[in-house]
Amino acid sequence: LDIFLRHTGGIGFIGAGTDVSELESHLQKATTLLNSTSLPTSSTLPIGIGFINWGASLGATDPLIQQYRPSAVWFFAPRSLAALQTWTTETRNASPGTKIWVQIGSVEEAINTLTIGPDVLVVQGTDAGGHGRTRGAGIVPLFPEVHDAVHTRGSEHGGKVPILLAAGGIVESRTAASALVLGASGVVLGTRLLASHEANISAGYQNTILNTFDGGQTTVRTKVYDELRGTTGWAETHNARGVINKSYTDWEQGMELEENKALYEKEMKKGDEGWGVGARMTTYAGSGVGLIKTVMPAGEIVKSVREGVGKVLSRFNL
Ligand SMILES: Cc1cc2nc3c(=O)[nH]c(=O)nc-3n(C[C@H](O)[C@H](O)[C@H](O)COP(=O)(O)O)c2cc1C
């Protein structure tokens, strides 16, 4: 993925999440692919790795960071600021050239995170697909408030102000342009890239992304999907946005979790038929999902968003 993104002005992340058991094989594959391109070699591997800190093992991760030296690591949902500090210190010791990105979802979290000296803060609004803050704001009010707070407080932390990126609901050029107008230095695409050729998801998942419209009504933030999948280590502060399907509506109507879980497990065996509004497989997606109409190569998606942003902003002489 990164190869395509780098050619078009973006950086891709391997999503290790809470489970780093397959990270080494992904890194080996990425290294092989990158060696077969004309991308310039540098002191770091031109790809990032994303960790969900509360569940990932730092002990298992550290030697891989040291060996592969990714350009960036992406941290999210640590159990505490102290834990985030430890991850940051260990990563910088293992690979000094690796940039520390931290995804935050509130002004308070942004301010607290400054103490660990991040290189990049990803400001995640409540429209984001997948996990994020249970209580949240969209990036329209959230981003400028974080921006101002970080610039004011930055001077208290040695004057270091991290680069700010916007995430949540950005799937095409108008939404990306609006994030830049809010003051973002760049944007994050999550849900949009689910409809890319490179996305490592089933056809059932991808078709649901294409067939879902009106995301404010057809997706929901909930903990139910985590409960069904057994990914229950998340703090109360976090839940996840996914497409409303049968698992959710049954839960809403009072079905016992055990029964719902049993049905979920049966559904897992159905392959692509297990996905969709009338089915049960968890389909994490953001509320911008209705703007996604086609599956494209990841690089083309990034390129079209970037080019479109220029066109949108030129209308305003920006
Ligand atoms: C399928 C899916 C999986 C995700 N997994 C992670 C993850 O492992 N770690 C993380 O920090 N964020 C994760 N996110 C959230 C993204 O980092 C990002 O905030 C979000 O995708 C941005 O909003 P958008 O989906 O509207 O583009 C995930 C999002 C989706 C849609």
Side-chain angles (χ1 to χ4, degrees):
L1 181 65
D2 180 65
I3 296 160
F4 298 101
L5 297 179
R6 290 285 292 199
H7 277 304
T8 51
I11 178 164
F13 283 74
I14 295 172
T18 54
D19 179 3
V20 296
S21 60
E22 290 184 26
L23 181 56
E24 179 152 29
S25 69
H26 290 316
L27 283 165
Q28 276 167 359
K29 199 170 168 187
T31 306
T32 308
L33 285 167
L34 288 163
N35 284 340
S36 68
T37 70
S38 56
L39 280 173
T41 49
S42 72
S43 59
T44 55
L45 198 65
I47 195 163
I49 310 172
F51 298 102
I52 295 172
N53 301 81
W54 65 255
S57 155
L58 179 57
T61 296
D62 226 24
L64 296 175
I65 302 271
Q66 194 165 14
Q67 186 183 345
Y68 288 92
R69 289 171 289 109
S71 295
V73 289
W74 169 302
F75 293 155
F76 182 53
R79 284 267 184 253
S80 65
L81 199 56
L84 186 64
Q85 179 69 72
T86 305
W87 273 85
T88 302
T89 306
E90 296 295 318
T91 301
R92 287 200 167 127
N93 287 341
S95 171
T98 298
K99 301 290 181 201
I100 308 289
W101 296 32
V102 184
Q103 178 163 247
I104 55 88
S106 74
V107 179
E108 186 187 13
E109 195 181 1
I111 292 169
N112 291 340
T113 303
L114 290 179
T115 57
I116 65 110
D119 297 295
V120 174
L121 279 186
V122 177
V123 182
Q124 185 197 42
T126 195
D127 291 302
H131 289 87
R133 292 223 150 228
T134 306
R135 285 192 199 159
I139 58 165
V140 170
L142 179 63
F143 193 94
E145 195 178 344
V146 168
H147 176 278
D148 292 353
V150 163
H151 279 79
T152 307
R153 299 294 188 96
S155 54
E156 295 164 19
H157 297 282
K160 189 180 172 200
V161 176
I163 291 169
L164 299 180
L165 306 180
I170 300 167
V171 290
E172 42 86 275
S173 52
R174 289 165 297 179
T175 41
S178 66
L180 299 191
V181 171
L182 293 172
S185 298
V187 301
V188 170
L189 300 178
T191 301
R192 179 61 188 94
L193 291 169
L194 292 171
S196 68
H197 292 312
E198 293 82 357
N200 189 14
I201 59 174
S202 70
Y205 193 157
Q206 203 160 60
N207 287 335
T208 309
I209 296 298
L210 294 177
N211 295 334
T212 304
F213 305 97
D214 203 4
Q217 303 304 309
T218 54
T219 69
V220 69
R221 299 204 71 89
T222 177
K223 274 188 174 289
V224 170
Y225 294 130
D226 273 324
E227 284 166 16
L228 294 172
R229 286 154 37 97
T231 47
T232 49
W234 290 91
E236 270 314 300
T237 45
H238 286 74
N239 63 5
R241 185 180 288 282
V243 175
I244 294 175
N245 64 15
K246 200 83 176 66
S247 301
Y248 182 81
T249 52
D250 279 349
W251 170 80
E252 213 176 23
Q253 286 161 22
M255 179 185 278
E256 289 296 325
L257 193 64
E258 284 315 306
E259 186 183 352
N260 209 336
K261 243 185 174 171
L263 291 168
Y264 190 86
E265 275 151 30
K266 267 194 192 164
E267 202 86 346
M268 284 170 74
K269 298 184 185 125
K270 290 190 185 166
D272 288 333
E273 279 172 36
W275 301 86
V277 173
R280 294 183 172 276
M281 298 299 293
T282 297
T283 312
Y284 286 135
S287 49
V289 65
L291 291 160
I292 303 170
K293 315 278 186 210
T294 49
V295 178
M296 286 162 57
E300 289 300 312
I301 291 171
V302 174
K303 204 167 154 203
S304 73
V305 171
R306 285 174 66 91
E307 288 173 0
V309 164
K311 284 186 197 139
V312 172
L313 296 184
S314 69
R315 279 193 238 138
F316 302 96
N317 292 325
L318 288 170

